[in-house]
Each structure stands twice: as C-alpha cells, then as structure tokens.
Amino acid sequence: MNIWRFDQELCRKTLVKMIIVDELLFSFVENGGFRYFVSVAQPQFRIPSRTTVTRDCFELFYEEKKKLKNFFRENSQRVCLTTYTWTSIQRINYLCLTAHFIDKDWKLHKRLLNFCPVSSHKGDDMAIAITKCLLDWGLDKVFTITVDNASLNDITLKELSKQFSKWGTNLMDGHHLHVRCMAHVINLIVQDGLKKIGDSVRRVRQAVRYIRQSPARIKRFKDCCEIKKITNKRSLCLDVATRCNSTYLMLKAAQEFENDFVSYGNLDPGLLEYLLIYVCEDGKTVGALTSDDWANVRQMEKFHETFYDLTLRVSGSLYVTSNVHFHEIGKLYCVLKLLIEDDDINLSLMARRMKAKFDKYWGAPEKMNKMIFVFCVLDPRFKFDYVAFVLLRMYGQEKGEKMIDEVKTYMACLFDEYQKITSKACGISSYSHCNTLDLSSINFGSIHKGTLIQHEYLRHKTNSGNMDSKTELDRYLGEENEIENEQFAIVLWWK
C-alpha cells in the first residue's frame, strides 16, 4: 500500500510548470482566488511570492537547458534547424531558432534553441546570431537549415556553410544544407493565384474587418443570423493578408454568411460607406460587395482547399515531413496541370499564374536541393523507382534522365560519407572498398581479439569474389516497397 506524502518542492516545481505552460503572470500566485483555492486543496503548501516564482522559472530553464546540452554532447546524430524571423511593431528584429532531431529511441523531438532580438535580418548578421547560438549549445553537427525564401537567407546559409567547414562537420560540403520552406513557397504560389480575384477578396476582408471592429456590430450581425434561424457555429474571422491559409479560413467562413452580409448592410449603412471610402495599400478603392464577388469567393474557397490541406501536411512539427516533400511537389504539379486545362477561363488563368510561380522554385530540378529527392527515396513506400517516374513526368525525358543520374550519384556519395564516418568510429575498414586487412587501422581496444579471424575470413571472401558486393543501400532499394496505409509511420519503420 502506497502512502502519499506532501512534497513542498515538488509542488513548487509543478506550479512553475503550470505558469510556463499556461503563460500566466508571475503575480498570479499572489491573486486572492488562487490563494483561496490552495488553502482548500492543500493547506500545507506554502505559496511562493512572485519573486520566488520568477527565480524558480529561471532555475527550471537552466536545468532543462543543461539536460539538452548534455544530450547533444553525448549523442552523435545530426539535427535539422528551422529559422523564423520577423520585425515587431516596435521595429525590433527577432530570430527564432528551432532544432528537430530523433533520439536513440527513434522519437522525433522539437526544441526551441533561441528566441532573441538581432541587429538586422541581413545575411551576415543572421549567420553570426545563429553561430553564437550553436556555440552556446555546443551544437556543431547540423544536417539542414530550413529558411523562408528571402534572398538574404542565401547569404546566411553560405556563411554558415563556411563556418561548419571550419568546424570540420560540414557533410558533403554543405550542398544540401539550404532547405527552402515548402509552406512558404506554397503561400507565394497561392498569393499569385489570388491576384485575379483580388478585388473580391479585398471587399470581403474589409467587410469582415468593419463588423469585427466593434462588439455592437458583432452583436448586430449575430442578430441577423438569428432572425434567419442560422445555427452555424462558425464565426467571422479576419485573415492575415500575407498568409494564404488564413485567407482561406476567412473566405470559407464568410461565404456561409453571404445573405447575412446583405441583411446587415440594410441595418447598418455604415458598412457600404466604409467599403466605398476605404483605399487599399495599392491605392485602389475597395467598393461595395456584389454577387460576382460572392461567386468568386465560392470558387476560390473550393479551389483553395487543396492548397490549405497541402500546407497543413508539410508544415507539421510533431511528425516527419521531409520524406513527403517531393511527393507533395509532384501532387501540386498534377493539380496545377489539371486546373490549367479546366474549361473555366478564370480558373485556368489563375492556375497559369500559379504554375509560373511554381516553376520559379521547382521548375529547374538541377537547382533544387538534392536531399528533397533522397528523402523520398528513403521512404519505403516510394523508393527510387517512384522518384524516377515523377522526375520524368514533370521534367520530360532529357532533363528527367539527367536528374535521375544526378540523384543516384549524390545518394551514393552521401552513403559513402556515412560509411566512412561509421568505419572510422568503429576503428575498422569497410570491406566494400578495401581488399586488404590493415591491422594498423583496427582499434584493438574496441573489438574482441577473437573476431580477428572473422575479419580475415571476410577478406578471403572478398578476394575470392564470393562476398556479396551489395551495400546496405543497394539491398534496401532492391526490396519490395511497403504498402501505402494511413497508419504508416516512417520513423517506426526505420526503427
């Protein structure tokens, strides 16, 4: 029988975690309601002051940071980084750096390494800030860095690649270090498609903004819905103009209330006046909502759903996404091709503009990061035949076959790099490349002396031509593909 005992220190740590997770003020512990609750739930608990809670938060941070630094020091796997930058309304530049890695138990982790102000978002300044952060964490084995498509990031990645080369950890000379954020590219593609019906989107956006500007207008709009006995649980939401997914959600919600906008306009003439006098950043007047606008909104909402789902799939952080990167590019190519051939002229024109933006980033495969293709090959549902098929389908026979050869070469070189690292770590030679047993290369402290005869036997088989010359990569590619199913988890498969 377990006897529960009150633990003051454990309760304090749990309180700190609650404050951090729920983003509460440090002064929360001094609120009367909280103190009364604790006095009833556990009178023995001595509630710390806001100053003590602040100190406890810092102590917990340093404790967790020490654990993560120890993990990076004791483990040899590489990490993938993602960066996020923005400028606040106070004109302060910020950088957020996140690490993604798989631990020894094959679990995917996401850890925020730094969130800090930077002097500017220029390439050199960003490289310096990221380098300082990595030095602070004792982290030098970086596999890829995902950034948005700002041209300044090209400079950032070049400088970081040079730094990793100085540290002696730049795998393959950093050729695959720079990864362009796929979600950001999709956003740019859709933004180009929105230009055709941009005026309709602007009018809906401003109508939603006008209603949401005051609680009284929101209540009046809800009254219009209740009069028509609309039980829709959805509410109006305002988008961020530069984020296509938020625009999709805004249009999806707005088109369900189309008739209610008309009713609201009859009750509040200020809506029409607001739309007529509002001038956008490009100098255009928004104008009144028309039936054509709602037709465009319905068309765009249906059209946009594919890209909304695609963005969600490739922007997840709790599961691996790199293996489906090229797969989703191929799907997007097929979708745009079908839309271009659509009988609807407006839809076709919209798709053509999107295809032009698609080609800017993914129309020249020789300029793409080769790891995009390799990741797909390492998905046992696809492997190399699938990648080769899509390359030929998207880029034609000549360019496709050239890319197939380049991917094969790059993948073989990458495999050799890892094989050399593994052989060096084990202190033995790789028999797929060596025909003689070099005793000086063997670390006798790391292997049992009784296994030397086995090494001699392997050398004999290699020299006699009886040894299987296939590498582990060759054997993997030669096996049957895994069957596609919704429960498939690539990390568990490789485990």
Side-chain angles (χ1 to χ4, degrees):
M1 179 178 178
N2 294 326
I3 300 176
W4 177 85
R5 290 185 176 85
F6 171 71
D7 190 327
Q8 172 72 18
E9 291 304 313
L10 179 60
C11 289
R12 268 181 59 176
K13 285 187 176 181
T14 306
L15 172 62
V16 167
K17 290 180 180 179
M18 179 190 74
I19 289 175
I20 293 172
V21 171
D22 293 337
E23 300 179 2
L24 301 174
L25 297 174
F26 295 139
S27 60
F28 172 80
V29 296
E30 298 178 354
N31 292 343
F34 176 71
R35 288 182 170 277
Y36 176 70
F37 169 78
V38 172
S39 68
V40 175
Q42 181 45 264
Q44 297 181 61
F45 181 57
R46 299 186 301 277
I47 302 175
S49 66
R50 69 173 73 185
T51 304
T52 302
V53 167
T54 304
R55 186 173 63 251
D56 287 350
C57 284
F58 275 101
E59 289 178 357
L60 179 61
F61 167 76
Y62 291 126
E63 180 183 327
E64 293 298 320
K65 183 175 182 179
K66 183 179 180 180
K67 289 180 183 178
L68 187 56
K69 289 179 75 170
N70 289 338
F71 174 86
F72 289 145
R73 184 177 63 254
E74 296 169 2
N75 293 270
S76 59
Q77 74 266 32
R78 292 176 176 268
V79 303
C80 294
L81 302 177
T82 57
T83 66
Y84 182 58
T85 59
W86 74 98
T87 303
S88 69
I89 57 175
Q90 295 86 7
R91 308 304 299 171
I92 301 175
N93 301 306
Y94 285 98
L95 163 69
C96 180
L97 187 67
T98 308
H100 308 265
F101 57 91
I102 296 173
D103 65 15
K104 62 181 180 180
D105 297 320
W106 290 83
K107 292 182 179 179
L108 179 66
H109 291 267
K110 170 188 175 183
R111 293 289 184 272
L112 184 64
L113 298 184
N114 207 354
F115 172 75
C116 62
V118 290
S119 57
S120 76
H121 290 154
K122 293 180 179 179
D124 293 336
D125 294 334
M126 290 290 295
I128 292 172
I130 294 173
T131 300
K132 287 182 178 178
C133 176
L134 295 178
L135 288 171
D136 178 44
W137 283 94
L139 186 59
D140 59 0
K141 294 180 180 178
V142 177
F143 190 70
T144 62
I145 303 178
T146 302
V147 295
D148 63 28
N149 294 280
S151 57
L152 292 175
N153 283 325
D154 295 345
I155 301 174
T156 301
L157 268 296
K158 287 180 181 178
E159 292 302 315
L160 287 173
S161 182
K162 293 177 184 177
Q163 185 62 59
F164 296 151
S165 294
K166 292 178 182 177
W167 293 346
T169 60
N170 204 15
L171 196 66
M172 298 283 287
D173 295 325
H175 291 310
H176 59 257
L177 187 66
H178 187 176
V179 177
R180 298 183 185 276
C181 177
M182 186 175 181
H184 187 233
V185 174
I186 295 172
N187 184 71
L188 296 175
I189 290 172
V190 176
Q191 289 296 332
D192 264 30
L194 281 171
K195 289 180 180 178
K196 176 64 179 177
I197 58 172
D199 291 341
S200 297
V201 174
R202 289 191 188 97
R203 279 189 273 272
V204 171
R205 179 181 295 128
Q206 296 314 318
V208 172
R209 176 176 282 124
Y210 175 82
I211 293 172
R212 285 170 53 90
Q213 277 178 347
S214 116
R217 293 172 188 168
I218 294 175
K219 184 179 183 306
R220 192 177 300 138
F221 186 81
K222 289 182 178 179
D223 291 341
C224 292
C225 298
E226 291 175 0
I227 292 173
K228 296 191 176 183
K229 297 182 179 180
I230 294 177
T231 58
N232 195 337
K233 294 182 180 180
R234 190 183 297 276
S235 59
L236 294 178
C237 58
L238 186 63
D239 72 330
V240 178
T242 56
R243 297 183 180 179
C244 62
N245 268 18
S246 67
T247 301
Y248 164 76
L249 294 174
M250 178 189 72
L251 297 178
K252 185 177 179 62
Q255 62 95 17
E256 295 181 13
F257 294 104
E258 176 182 346
N259 294 327
D260 300 292
F261 274 96
V262 177
S263 300
Y264 181 88
N266 294 332
L267 293 174
D268 185 358
L271 172 61
L272 179 59
E273 294 176 8
Y274 180 81
L275 294 176
L276 289 175
I277 65 173
Y278 187 87
V279 180
C280 296
E281 293 180 359
D282 57 5
K284 292 183 179 180
T285 302
V286 172
L289 279 166
T290 66
S291 58
D292 288 339
D293 290 326
W294 289 113
N296 287 334
V297 166
R298 285 191 294 272
Q299 183 187 55
M300 191 59 198
E301 186 266 327
K302 184 178 179 181
F303 165 79
H304 199 141
E305 186 174 6
T306 300
F307 301 94
Y308 174 79
D309 294 336
L310 173 58
T311 303
L312 292 182
R313 286 196 297 273
V314 302
S315 59
S317 60
L318 301 179
Y319 52 88
V320 177
T321 58
S322 55
N323 58 305
V324 297
H325 196 146
F326 181 61
H327 176 62
E328 296 296 346
I329 290 175
K331 287 170 63 176
L332 182 55
Y333 168 84
C334 292
V335 169
L336 292 176
K337 186 177 180 182
L338 288 173
L339 290 173
I340 289 173
E341 297 170 356
D342 196 278
D343 294 334
D344 189 318
I345 296 177
N346 290 330
L347 198 61
S348 178
L349 291 174
M350 187 189 308
R352 288 180 187 278
R353 274 191 301 274
M354 296 174 74
K355 180 62 166 58
K357 182 67 75 171
F358 175 96
D359 290 339
K360 178 180 178 180
Y361 295 101
W362 296 320
E366 65 276 5
K367 296 180 181 180
M368 293 168 61
N369 189 327
K370 298 294 188 299
M371 287 308 302
I372 292 175
F373 311 112
V374 175
F375 288 147
C376 192
V377 172
L378 294 179
D379 189 320
R381 298 168 298 175
F382 303 134
K383 296 193 177 180
F384 196 84
D385 286 345
Y386 174 82
V387 173
F389 174 82
V390 177
L391 284 171
L392 291 172
R393 182 76 178 273
M394 289 179 60
Y395 304 111
Q397 194 72 23
E398 183 179 350
K399 187 181 289 188
E401 288 182 351
K402 181 180 178 182
M403 277 307 303
I404 290 171
D405 291 338
E406 289 184 10
V407 173
K408 279 184 179 178
T409 302
Y410 194 87
M411 191 164 54
C413 292
L414 185 65
F415 179 79
D416 285 343
E417 284 288 320
Y418 272 94
Q419 198 170 42
K420 291 175 184 176
I421 294 171
T422 305
S423 298
K424 186 177 180 181
C426 295
I428 60 175
S429 301
S430 173
Y431 282 95
S432 62
H433 297 282
C434 303
N435 290 328
T436 59
L437 181 63
D438 182 7
L439 295 180
S440 65
S441 69
I442 298 179
N443 182 355
F444 288 97
S446 64
I447 63 174
H448 194 279
K449 293 181 176 59
T451 63
L452 285 177
I453 190 65
Q454 296 173 336
H455 290 294
E456 190 69 20
Y457 173 66
L458 289 174
R459 179 171 63 87
H460 164 72
K461 287 188 68 176
T462 302
N463 291 337
S464 62
N466 294 326
M467 185 175 180
D468 184 5
S469 61
K470 289 185 177 180
T471 65
E472 186 180 1
L473 178 61
D474 294 329
R475 292 194 292 273
Y476 163 76
L477 295 176
E479 295 170 354
E480 291 292 326
N481 290 14
E482 289 293 320
I483 299 175
E484 178 75 51
N485 64 76
E486 294 182 358
Q487 287 73 38
F488 179 82
I490 188 170
V491 175
L492 293 180
W493 188 93
W494 278 103
K495 178 181 181 180

